[in-house]
Amino acid sequence: MNDQITKKADELNGGLDAHPRINQSTDIKTPGLQVQNLKWKTDEEIQTSISALYQYAEASANDAIEWYRKSKRHKAQASQLLRFLAIVLTTIGGLTPIIGGLGLSTLQLRGTFNLNVGQLGYLFLGLAAACVGFDRFFGFSSGWMRYLTTKMTLERALSEFRLDWAMMVAKLGEKSPTLDQVQLMIQRVKEFLLAIDNQVEQETQSWVSEFKTNLAEIEKTAKTQGEATRPGAIDITVTNGMDTADGFTIVLDGMEVKKVRGTKYQIGYVPPGPHKIAVAGVIDGEALDASELVNVMPGEIAKVTLALPVKEAQP
């Protein structure tokens, strides 16, 4: 009799045994309950319908649990890999200055190019920060923890539901449930399914909130970096530039910019940071030069005033 009831319950659920489980998919799939086929007239129909409801609820919870079990494994693998790389790269970045202090400060590559080992530390530290940022933006570590706790919560809810159902069935004994008992059992199934849906929805809302926060931080960081790297300009004034024979030459950080006739010139699109400005010219047949360090702020114009050092005539 119980086997017949279970078989009929499977048919009402569209065949739970034939239901495509999520082992082949990353989507949560629940069995389709044929509510319109539930019958409540005879004792056999009531028991069959109740059994179908129970199987539907249990299969729905198992599918959700299985989805989180598979998904947390992928999150865990990505999180552990990125965190491992971050630790290794940070360690290497911290060791490079020590290696440089042991007399291995430079390595010669292909006979012509010298590589500064000490400077590589910044590269490794930057890569480590990129691993942490990548993990945080895509939520591998946080998602792993979130999926793990959600899976445990769903498993606890399923265990409670099974035990509550067992107690309700035990109270019936060999008797068929009354109308009030049927309503209580349906209500318990409803509460259980709502608890499963609420838990999944709560986890999804947490993901959405986390993603929005991370996206806003990325946009803010990008904007800040964009503002910090806006090129500026340098206004150069050479007070005795008119005294030069054929103008003076402006040099920016060791690179010749232009030969100017007059006293003023502006260099545009200069990266923010400290720069060395040098000028050179010939006055009264003598080659003269002057230089000064200037700090260019993002998007601003720095001003520097120089004078070629002409020697005073001896009396």
Side-chain angles (χ1 to χ4, degrees), residues 4-293:
Q4 293 178 352
I5 292 175
T6 302
K7 182 178 181 181
K8 290 183 179 179
D10 288 344
E11 292 174 354
L12 290 176
N13 282 326
L16 288 178
D17 293 338
H19 168 65
R21 311 297 287 185
I22 60 172
N23 292 336
Q24 304 298 326
S25 172
T26 56
D27 296 327
I28 295 179
K29 294 182 179 180
T30 54
L33 177 65
Q34 305 297 324
V35 180
Q36 67 275 11
N37 294 333
L38 297 177
K39 307 297 182 182
W40 307 97
K41 293 182 180 179
T42 66
D43 291 343
E44 182 180 351
E45 288 176 347
I46 291 175
Q47 291 180 1
T48 300
S49 299
I50 287 295
S51 179
L53 285 174
Y54 174 82
Q55 292 182 43
Y56 169 75
E58 186 176 42
S60 299
N62 281 328
D63 280 350
I65 291 170
E66 180 66 12
W67 188 91
Y68 281 107
R69 184 191 67 80
K70 290 185 62 178
S71 298
K72 81 175 181 63
R73 183 173 67 248
H74 301 313
K75 292 280 188 182
Q77 291 172 347
S79 171
Q80 291 171 348
L81 175 61
L82 289 172
R83 294 293 173 171
F84 172 77
L85 290 176
I87 293 172
V88 171
L89 291 170
T90 301
T91 303
I92 295 175
L95 289 176
T96 48
I98 301 176
I99 296 175
L102 295 177
L104 301 175
S105 57
T106 58
L107 293 176
Q108 193 172 30
L109 302 178
R110 296 184 179 179
T112 57
F113 180 71
N114 291 328
L115 180 64
N116 191 328
V117 177
Q119 296 297 324
L120 286 177
Y122 297 106
L123 173 62
F124 289 121
L125 292 176
L127 291 175
C131 289
V132 175
F134 191 82
D135 177 28
R136 182 176 180 183
F137 178 74
F138 288 98
F140 291 119
S141 295
S142 60
W144 175 21
M145 297 297 102
R146 197 172 60 247
Y147 286 1
L148 179 62
T149 55
T150 301
K151 173 179 171 291
M152 294 173 62
T153 301
L154 294 177
E155 288 175 338
R156 184 175 65 251
L158 178 58
S159 297
E160 292 177 354
F161 173 68
R162 285 171 172 168
L163 292 175
D164 289 347
W165 193 267
M167 287 190 293
M168 287 187 290
V169 172
K171 289 181 180 180
L172 296 177
E174 297 295 329
K175 300 179 182 178
S176 297
T178 64
L179 181 59
D180 291 338
Q181 290 173 327
V182 169
Q183 290 180 347
L184 288 175
M185 298 175 84
I186 295 175
Q187 181 64 28
R188 184 65 184 92
V189 171
K190 176 183 176 181
E191 292 174 353
F192 173 65
L193 290 175
L194 287 177
I196 296 298
D197 291 340
N198 288 337
Q199 190 62 39
V200 173
E201 182 180 358
Q202 181 180 354
E203 186 278 322
T204 304
Q205 291 295 336
S206 298
W207 172 81
V208 172
S209 177
E210 178 183 323
F211 183 78
K212 288 182 177 180
T213 301
N214 291 338
L215 188 61
E217 289 183 359
I218 291 292
E219 292 177 351
K220 182 180 179 180
T221 301
K223 183 178 180 181
T224 302
Q225 290 180 346
E227 292 291 333
T229 56
R230 284 178 56 199
I234 302 176
D235 272 348
I236 303 170
T237 301
V238 180
T239 56
N240 54 351
M242 295 296 294
D243 298 334
T244 57
D246 56 350
F248 57 90
T249 301
I250 297 178
V251 179
L252 174 64
D253 296 330
M255 296 181 62
E256 184 175 328
V257 177
K258 190 175 182 179
K259 194 166 188 178
V260 180
R261 288 180 173 83
T263 58
K264 295 181 180 295
Y265 184 75
Q266 184 181 89
I267 304 176
Y269 299 99
V270 180
H275 297 276
K276 182 179 180 181
I277 295 293
V279 294
V282 178
I283 298 178
D284 296 333
E286 185 180 2
L288 305 171
D289 62 81
S291 63
E292 185 173 328
L293 288 176

Side-chain angles (χ1 to χ4, degrees), residues 297-312:
M297 302 301 293
E300 298 183 4
I301 300 175
K303 298 181 181 295
V304 57
T305 301
L306 296 169
L308 295 171
V310 180
K311 294 181 180 180
E312 296 182 1

